[in-house]
Amino acid sequence: MVNNFTFHNQTDIRFGQDRLDAELKDAVAQFGDKVLLTYGGGSIKKSGLYDRVMKALDGLQVYELSGIAPNPKIDSVRAGQKLVQEHDIDVILAVGGGSVIDASKVIGSAKFYQGDPWDLVLDSSKRFAIDQLPLVDILTLSATGTEMNQGSVISNPETKQKLGTGGPDTPAVSFLDPALTFSVSQWQTAAGTIDIFSHLSEQYFDQSSDNDVKNGLIEGIMRTVIKWGPVAMQEPDNYDARANLMWAATMALNGLARTGNQNSWTVHPIEHELSAYYDITHGVGLGILTPHWMKFALNENSQALFAQYGRNVWHLEGFDREVAEQAIEKTRQWLASFEVPTTLAGVGIDNEDNFKAMAESAVKVGSLNNAYAPMTAADVETLLRAAK
Ligand code: NZQ
Ligand code: ZN
């Protein structure tokens, strides 16, 4: 059955090359003239984007928060909260990948909160009770879909937690210029592409039935990612490869691909534990876990959907069970073709010390008892062992 859903998304998308020079100032200034510019570890300075942005913003009062790290840490949000409150900021301009945009969304809520912003991560309902600063972003990495959704994922190294949080608003304006992703490294291109694929797979394998609009949408985006990811790896400045990946990333997680769905996700909550404990790259962790998860999830009940995936995404033919198994093998081979690690040892996780704690937390935080293929902590531990 197709479940009831509400779809509401207010993001103004500006897709295409070189639009920001002419359009950025108005997009930002519509919300006021006190701007907090947020960015990461310096890729935007190296590429020249920082200078372009500063030129475009000429005449506005710009404050800066730099150094937002991958798997963004709560300390960056705390520093941002101080700045937005101290300078009574009107609008945040986030320039970077998912980490910069995710942290900026929570900073936008933290302006209107007097306590520690970690409270807002622990309990998203607190964010819905307060205002949120408008966010304009310039996306520089195709992966998370944060440019058109309400989510953020924030890490707290002290408590070894990496948690999702949602706020009331999607970004107000998102500039999606595929050419800005030409400079993304092979490692991050691989990780980003795998992340997009994982978002699609998490929403495809769902207990809702006859949900054909969302399944067809996902199958089409999956074929796109499978085709263009490897091209972007080989030809980093192939515009069409970067353009298809960028729009695929946005479409995969702007809410459309989960319409009518029923259950929660599985691989993401498990990967978030790996990143919380070992600070590994999100997409690489997903790629390690996904084939093992698919093998776990394939059973009598799920084989028809896995076979549909095999036929419509991988163009396979045959009986359900064999198509389902071949589809999982095709997925494994495609993931391995990116030449990022495919085992936990490959990302430096070479012992089982934290397996139990990570498995228990994943089941709790991700409600894995309610997943497409429900998992206990023991199941998650077995999966982690298989991925060693
Ligand atoms: O920090 P800088 O110097 O900018 O370098 C970044 C960073 O080192 C670099 N980079 C970004 N754009 C570049 C570039 N390097 C060269 N050229 C460019 N154009 O790439 C590195 C990784 O950046 P990051 O923002 O961490 O990557 P990504 O966009 O993959 O974001 C990952 C984070 O998003 C979370 C993940 O868990 C992780 O913390 N997620 C957020 C989601 C959401 N909000 O909806 C959903 C996802 O499932 C995901 O969990
Ligand atoms: Zn993800």
Side-chain angles (χ1 to χ4, degrees):
M1 183 189 148
V2 180
N3 290 284
N4 293 2
F5 64 87
T6 298
F7 177 76
H8 173 82
N9 195 309
Q10 73 268 40
T11 304
D12 173 353
I13 295 286
R14 311 280 178 98
F15 191 95
Q17 278 193 83
D18 296 333
R19 298 184 58 169
L20 72 95
D21 309 282
E23 298 177 35
L24 182 64
K25 187 168 185 181
D26 285 348
V28 171
Q30 64 177 315
F31 301 110
D33 63 358
K34 281 183 276 181
V35 186
L36 179 68
L37 168 65
T38 55
Y39 55 99
S43 71
I44 69 161
K45 292 213 164 151
K46 220 167 133 197
S47 67
L49 180 57
Y50 175 87
D51 292 335
R52 273 175 78 187
V53 167
M54 290 309 269
K55 192 165 166 225
L57 296 182
D58 188 36
L60 302 179
Q61 263 177 271
V62 183
Y63 300 87
E64 292 187 27
L65 175 69
S66 62
I68 299 175
N71 300 324
K73 314 296 180 285
I74 189 63
D75 272 350
S76 285
V77 179
R78 290 178 178 133
Q81 179 188 38
K82 234 177 129 206
L83 288 170
V84 288
Q85 290 183 345
E86 205 170 286
H87 302 293
D88 193 18
I89 293 293
D90 299 313
V91 50
I92 301 179
L93 172 61
V95 186
S99 294
V100 172
I101 299 173
D102 278 9
S104 301
K105 288 178 183 170
V106 185
I107 293 168
S109 293
K111 177 176 179 191
F112 305 98
Y113 187 68
Q114 297 317 316
D116 181 5
W118 184 244
D119 302 344
L120 304 176
V121 179
L122 287 174
D123 180 2
S124 292
S125 70
K126 289 198 162 74
R127 294 179 63 196
F128 282 85
I130 56 178
D131 210 349
Q132 181 178 359
L133 280 176
L135 176 73
V136 177
D137 66 77
I138 302 171
L139 182 68
T140 65
L141 198 163
S142 305
T144 63
T146 188
E147 62 277 8
M148 201 175 172
N149 71 36
Q150 296 163 312
S152 291
V153 188
I154 306 294
S155 293
N156 186 337
E158 275 169 39
T159 60
K160 290 200 165 59
Q161 282 169 299
K162 179 176 179 180
L163 299 176
T165 156
D169 299 330
T170 63
V173 188
S174 287
F175 285 85
L176 309 185
D177 181 346
L180 294 178
T181 64
F182 289 169
S183 59
V184 174
S185 66
Q186 283 211 327
W187 175 275
Q188 292 294 343
T189 300
T193 303
I194 296 169
D195 192 23
I196 303 168
F197 180 83
S198 177
H199 296 161
L200 296 165
S201 141
E202 299 267 29
Q203 298 170 107
Y204 189 78
F205 293 102
D206 187 83
Q207 282 152 0
S208 58
S209 54
D210 295 319
N211 198 351
D212 286 351
V213 172
K214 86 83 209 191
N215 276 349
L217 188 73
I218 291 179
E219 288 161 2
I221 306 172
M222 278 179 164
R223 289 194 300 269
T224 304
V225 175
I226 289 165
K227 171 179 169 185
W228 290 106
V231 178
M233 292 291 284
Q234 295 308 316
E235 304 165 33
D237 52 4
N238 182 317
Y239 183 81
D240 289 329
R242 295 298 193 177
N244 276 291
L245 288 177
M246 190 168 248
W247 191 226
T250 309
M251 286 295 291
L253 204 52
N254 63 4
L256 282 174
R258 68 154 183 266
T259 46
N261 264 4
Q262 182 154 333
N263 54 252
S264 54
W265 296 16
T266 308
V267 182
H268 269 67
I270 302 175
E271 193 297 312
H272 285 170
E273 296 299 325
L274 298 177
S275 286
Y277 276 78
Y278 300 99
D279 208 8
I280 67 167
T281 305
H282 173 61
V284 174
L286 295 170
I288 294 169
L289 299 173
T290 294
H292 298 286
W293 172 77
M294 285 187 163
K295 281 183 196 150
F296 171 84
L298 177 60
N299 57 38
E300 290 285 301
N301 295 329
S302 66
Q303 71 181 25
L305 187 54
F306 272 97
Q308 182 182 330
Y309 163 67
R311 291 186 186 104
N312 294 350
V313 176
W314 293 105
H315 313 293
L316 298 169
E317 290 174 9
F319 295 112
D320 274 8
R321 190 66 176 204
E322 70 189 31
V323 169
E325 282 170 3
Q326 282 172 27
I328 295 173
E329 177 55 18
K330 284 273 186 194
T331 309
R332 193 194 63 73
Q333 288 170 5
W334 179 75
L335 291 166
S337 76
F338 284 97
E339 292 178 12
V340 289
T342 55
T343 62
L344 293 177
V347 290
I349 306 175
D350 54 9
N351 62 62
E352 299 186 12
D353 291 358
N354 296 310
F355 280 14
K356 190 162 191 288
M358 292 193 295
E360 282 169 359
S361 179
V363 169
K364 190 164 155 236
V365 175
S367 306
L368 298 189
N369 52 330
N370 178 39
Y372 177 64
M375 292 187 96
T376 63
D379 293 331
V380 176
E381 272 195 77
T382 306
L383 188 147
L384 291 172
R385 259 182 223 112
K388 277 208 312 191

